[in-house]
Amino acid sequence: MEIVQSGDFSPAGELYDRYAKRVYNHSYRFLGNREAAEDATQEVFVKMMRHANQFRNGAPLLRWLLSITGNHCRDKLRSLRVRPTHGEDGLELVPAPDDLSPERDLERQDAERIVQEALTRLEPDQREAIVLSRYEGCTYAQIALISGCSEGAVKTRVFRAMNVLKKALTRDAQETTNA
Amino acid sequence: MPDCDAMIENMPMLLTESLDPVQRELTHQHIETCPKCAREWAAYKETWQTLDTLPELEVPARVKQRFLAEIDPDLRTNVVPFRSGRAARWLAQAAAVVIVAGGAFYAGNRLAPRFRPTPTGVELIGAQTLPPATPYYSIAETRVLPAASINPQIEGRPDIQNVQFTDASASSDQIGVSFDITSHVTVTGRPTDKSMVSLLRYVLENEDRESPSRSRAIDWVRATYSRLDKPDPQIAEALANVLRNDQHQGVRINAADTLQSMQSAMTDSTRDALVEALKNDPNPAVRLKAVEALAKLARSGAVLDPEMVDTLQKKASQGDENVYVRVKAAEALRSIQPR
């Protein structure tokens, strides 16, 4: 990053290769839409290059990137009301591994859709907290730094998010819905 | 009796391993005695596990192309000529080009190579691929290389720091330039390749202790190696060392849990680590995972040595031990075969 800060963008490809997968997956889980996640990933890396002078050397670069990603995704959800498309349009799900039977693949797609739909029921701040905690393995202190809030706020967001998700994802909840 | 609402509020923090040890113990004890909270806890755990259904996606290649195309004008206008950078950078380039050392032969022998590329096994990929004649790529803390073995073409902008120089002497015209360099290296191979196992063992045992990435490494190792009929015992031993030494209770819980899924890779040393954790770990959740692993081992028909049996007996009857740990210890005792 020091090189980028000096005005030389030549490490762009290398930095992208190192962190793009994390940024893309974080965006996908946040926005629930692959196309929007692609745009977000591109935007985040462009912002990283153009605002490199705001990066504090010595700090973890991934944390800074996740912070930019969070801001970008929250803005998207709030201003454009990006919602994942369900039902007939369907979420763009991951292609099935070759060794998966069609039945198993359908089950897998259903399971993914249910989780992604459940995540979209959360407020953006709650969604960011749960995604960082569950998928990035961040501690509450790290989430607070990335999201720019207090640890207490993170605790509340995760608690509220888990209660919403519990209603959507547990077997009892599913059986009640199906009944 | 603690308030159920307060206990339920603690549950997400129990899942994310964010509770302090006292609250953790209190919450676990309450869950064991309160059916309503036990149901809530089961629902939280089910939710947490279900979230794992979302897979890791690969980034479509077009995203990188679009990103590089967008910054390309900046790339052209902002490139700083290499020589106009700071003096250290100039020295760094010189350092990478001219690496000559009188002690190359000695050090080359001292630093034994560890990774051998084969057509189907471990190989080094990335910005620079070693020529086929190179027998090994050594992942080492320090190494000395003769200039003749270095490609004069420097690829990308490697971060080179701490540059030092060695002068020629009266008896030798060899000069030396040494430096620290950070490269991003990808090693590919089968899970059973010895080099891959050694590398993963190193990652598990030496990764930054303050980072949650060690838990992620354990998750990945579990997903990859628990599918194998007989995972390499080195992996189990690395997990045992994590269980013995890691300061973070969540990491130790994860290590013990993963060991449970690798029964066929367990050695005496691995089993000892589980017994030590059951005896001495200050965290009841770690002790619980350790006793569960030993109970599973006993159920599988493995012969447990007298010390293990003794520890299980003590735990099963220890009044101040966590109830669930006691129950699991008794369960293990019912199925063991003394040696």
Side-chain angles (χ1 to χ4, degrees), chain A residues 125-165:
Chain A
D125 288 343
Q126 296 171 2
R127 202 179 309 176
E128 181 178 35
I130 205 78
V131 167
L132 286 170
S133 175
R134 183 67 184 97
Y135 300 105
E136 291 298 327
C138 293
T139 62
Y140 285 12
Q142 288 167 332
I143 297 171
L145 283 171
I146 290 168
S147 309
C149 63
S150 67
E151 275 189 62
V154 174
K155 182 180 160 185
T156 306
R157 288 172 191 178
V158 171
F159 178 68
R160 288 180 181 162
M162 282 301 290
N163 282 329
V164 174
L165 294 172

Side-chain angles (χ1 to χ4, degrees), chain A residues 7 9 16-18 21-22 25 38-39 42 50 94 133-137 140 155 163 166 171, chain B residues 13 16 40 44 46-48 51 55 57-58 60 62 64 66 70 74-75 78 157 184 212 216:
Chain A
F9 281 11
Y16 177 91
D17 289 342
R18 204 176 291 187
K21 193 170 174 183
R22 302 285 289 277
N25 276 282
E38 287 181 23
D39 291 343
Q42 181 185 342
R50 296 206 168 129
V94 189
S133 175
R134 183 67 184 97
Y135 300 105
E136 291 298 327
Y140 285 12
K155 182 180 160 185
N163 282 329
K166 185 158 62 73
R171 224 166 303 148
Chain B
M13 288 191 288
T16 53
E40 276 293 311
Y44 273 112
E46 187 186 340
T47 305
W48 197 244
L51 285 172
L57 302 180
E58 292 301 325
R62 59 181 172 269
K64 183 176 182 181
R66 276 165 26 196
E70 187 166 348
D74 301 314
L75 195 62
N78 285 306
R157 295 278 182 166
H184 193 65
R216 201 162 50 239

Side-chain angles (χ1 to χ4, degrees), chain B residues 19 104 162 182 186 229 231 238 263:
Chain B
L19 271 186
N162 188 23
T182 304
T186 304
D229 288 341
Q263 301 275 320

Side-chain angles (χ1 to χ4, degrees), chain B residues 32 78 87 89 97 145 159 163-164 175 191 209 253 259 266 272 317-318:
Chain B
E32 282 161 15
N78 285 306
R89 198 177 295 164
V97 176
L145 302 166
D159 185 12
V163 181
Q164 293 169 49
I175 60 170
R209 289 184 184 284
I253 291 169
L259 278 172
M266 282 207 197
D272 288 348
S317 57
Q318 187 180 324

Side-chain angles (χ1 to χ4, degrees), chain B residues 250-273:
Chain B
V251 175
R252 296 200 305 279
I253 291 169
N254 206 354
D257 205 23
T258 303
L259 278 172
Q260 198 183 144
S261 67
M262 290 191 189
Q263 301 275 320
S264 60
M266 282 207 197
T267 60
D268 285 348
S269 151
T270 321
R271 295 174 192 190
D272 288 348

